[in-house]
Amino acid sequence: MTTKSHGWHPETILVHGGTTRSPFGETSEAMFLTQGFVYETAEAAEARFNGEDPGFVYSRYANPTVAMFENRIAALEGAEAARGTASGMAAVNLALMACCKAGDHVVAAKALFGSCRYIVETLLPRFGVTSTLVDGTDLDAWRAAIRPETVACFLESPTNPTLEVIDIAAVADMAHAVGARLIVDNVFATPLWQSPFELGADIVVYSATKHIDGQGRCLGGVVLGSEAFITDEVMPFMKHTGPAMSPFNAWVLLKGLETLPLRVERQTRTAARLADVLAEHPAVARLIYPGRDDHPQAELARRQMKAGSTMIALEVAGGKEAAFRFSNALKIVKMSNNLGDAKSLVTHPATTTHQSLAEEARVELGIGEGLLRLSVGLEHEDDLAADLLTALDTVRG
Ligand SMILES: *Cc1c(COP(=O)(O)O)cnc(C)c1O
């Protein structure tokens, strides 16, 4: 069933990888909206259930449309196997739960997507899995936190929302030294610009809700890893707890994968230009873009990412009041907590996505009252530049 990538380039894999066709020979991938499957004979059913016949049994376990999505993204990442999930959070939870049991220990970078941080900091400890949160950019902090009972290290790079870049290869080496696995949430970098497996990661997770859909329609996630990890550790958890991806969503996301390079390349080109334009405006106190030479980890970003990606963080002078005035003055850029969308979106993390963090935790993460996160969409770069600069002028007014 797995379509080998034949040494194809990413663009080709994303159009053809993983495709299987029904006897009708449809051009576009078929949407198999079915819960279950029927068997010709009782013997056939028995063979399906005992694994002699590898066909489909029930869509909580696997589904042909979902399998096409899984095989396509696995081919892109160079992973042996993948499992689609109902959301990005289901993928993160699945990856961590599949690795851990009571008594184990997890180390994670503290600049995590809010719900990821909840799993590591609050949920896992309820089941006897202890965790340590570290400053992800500080390799000595990782070294000090990793102990013999550490089974997993978990990080996002670039981080949300301050776009710090974490040295994936260095953390992978430290994790492997104690037999732990490195899980990388690669949402912000996208599969085009960063290949965590090549840098030593063992498990990669995505929220497919973001760039992979890219048009704000549906939720989805995916866990990628070795065949043994997916078959022996992920599948039992998946089968018995049910975070399965809907075949309808898998179909939308398959179509999203076809156009992913076109969208991400354009969004990245526009983001790079906007970062340079915004950095010059006197109302911008700080601008963070992993593709710029003034990024705090510019050298590392160049080494582990092929481009700066689609997200910009900017701190406007004047705190919350200025950030709100700027956001409210935007005409094209919409206010939303999503990202990776065709529509450019701005978020004020301190009062939305990171509102529930204690003030001191926000300060520690560099999330000031004037910080805004901008997800660059597919609109024309000149229109976006004009919209953003006009709104910044109101901040100074
Ligand atoms: C959005 C996001 C998630 C969660 O994904 P959902 O699809 O919303 O469940 C996890 N990690 C990162 C980095 C994200 O941006």
Side-chain angles (χ1 to χ4, degrees):
M1 199 161 56
T2 312
T3 305
K4 291 271 175 274
S5 55
H6 309 291
W8 290 338
H9 291 89
E11 292 81 352
T12 311
I13 293 172
L14 287 168
V15 173
H16 293 289
T19 302
T20 49
R21 292 197 162 82
S22 83
F24 295 117
E26 63 282 351
T27 309
S28 177
E29 297 73 9
M31 204 193 302
F32 290 97
L33 289 178
T34 181
Q35 299 159 340
F37 302 84
V38 295
Y39 315 103
E40 289 292 320
T41 61
E43 290 78 7
E46 184 183 29
R48 236 12 113 73
F49 271 80
N50 69 20
E52 276 168 30
D53 171 359
F56 294 97
V57 173
Y58 192 58
S59 287
R60 171 153 38 81
Y61 306 176
N63 169 281
T65 311
V66 179
M68 285 191 261
F69 169 76
E70 293 164 342
N71 291 332
R72 186 169 292 180
I73 189 153
L76 176 71
E77 290 284 344
E80 287 175 12
R83 280 291 154 190
T85 55
S87 67
M89 283 325 304
V92 170
N93 190 46
L94 177 57
L96 283 165
M97 287 288 183
C99 286
C100 299
K101 60 178 190 324
D104 289 342
H105 175 246
V106 172
V107 183
K110 63 172 77 128
L112 286 180
F113 185 76
S115 298
C116 297
R117 188 159 165 162
Y118 173 83
I119 293 179
V120 170
E121 205 173 23
T122 309
L123 192 63
L124 290 179
R126 273 175 32 195
F127 299 93
V129 179
T130 53
S131 59
T132 309
L133 291 172
V134 298
D135 171 354
T137 62
D138 180 353
L139 294 178
D140 290 332
W142 285 98
R143 197 168 294 115
I146 293 171
R147 0 192 247 242
E149 62 274 27
T150 305
V151 294
C153 293
F154 178 47
L155 64 88
E156 279 171 43
S157 183
T159 62
N160 177 38
T162 49
L163 309 181
E164 289 173 343
V165 177
I166 301 178
D167 190 334
I168 296 174
V171 178
D173 283 347
M174 286 187 260
H176 296 160
V178 297
R181 290 186 277 204
L182 174 62
I183 306 173
V184 174
D185 180 333
N186 205 37
V187 165
F188 274 51
T190 82
L192 287 215
W193 301 144
Q194 183 167 277
S195 304
F197 288 120
E198 286 173 14
L199 297 165
D202 303 280
I203 299 160
V204 174
V205 293
Y206 285 100
S207 164
T209 314
K210 311 295 168 52
H211 302 85
I212 294 175
D213 177 353
Q215 291 165 77
R217 298 163 295 193
C218 66
L219 297 174
V222 65
V223 181
L224 299 113
S226 69
E227 187 72 54
F229 172 65
I230 297 291
T231 306
D232 302 337
E233 296 174 81
V234 167
M235 268 318 283
F237 190 87
M238 205 64 232
K239 272 169 104 160
H240 303 302
T241 67
M245 173 179 274
S246 143
F248 178 82
N249 288 1
W251 181 82
V252 173
L253 297 166
L254 268 167
K255 294 285 127 189
L257 286 176
E258 290 185 347
T259 59
L260 183 72
L262 289 173
R263 290 181 287 104
V264 168
E265 276 163 23
R266 172 61 69 89
Q267 286 166 263
T268 298
R269 195 181 79 191
T270 306
R273 152 114 197 270
L274 293 177
D276 291 343
V277 168
L278 294 172
E280 297 301 316
H281 197 284
V284 174
R286 185 166 67 122
L287 184 129
I288 314 165
Y289 181 65
R292 271 172 64 91
D293 289 340
D294 61 359
H295 186 280
Q297 294 99 29
E299 189 274 324
L300 173 61
R302 267 194 300 276
R303 193 155 28 99
Q304 78 179 18
M305 297 174 73
K306 296 193 191 78
S309 207
T310 67
M311 306 292 295
I312 300 170
L314 63 149
E315 178 103 40
V316 291
K320 176 179 164 182
E321 199 237 328
F324 274 30
R325 205 169 341 139
F326 167 75
S327 303
N328 289 331
L330 291 164
K331 299 264 186 302
I332 298 171
V333 179
K334 301 298 171 208
M335 280 173 263
S336 174
N337 45 295
N338 198 15
L339 64 98
D341 200 273
K343 295 176 174 65
S344 291
L345 304 172
V346 71
T347 309
H348 184 244
T351 54
T352 60
T353 51
H354 292 70
Q355 191 194 109
S356 63
L357 280 186
E359 169 79 30
E360 110 199 28
R362 272 204 299 273
V363 169
E364 195 181 50
L365 292 175
I367 304 173
E369 296 285 320
L371 186 82
L372 293 149
R373 187 191 78 184
L374 177 66
S375 169
V376 176
L378 287 172
E379 304 92 339
H380 195 283
E381 58 183 58
D382 293 346
D383 295 338
L384 289 175
D387 194 33
L388 291 161
L389 292 176
T390 307
L392 279 174
D393 288 341
T394 69
V395 171
R396 301 184 71 209

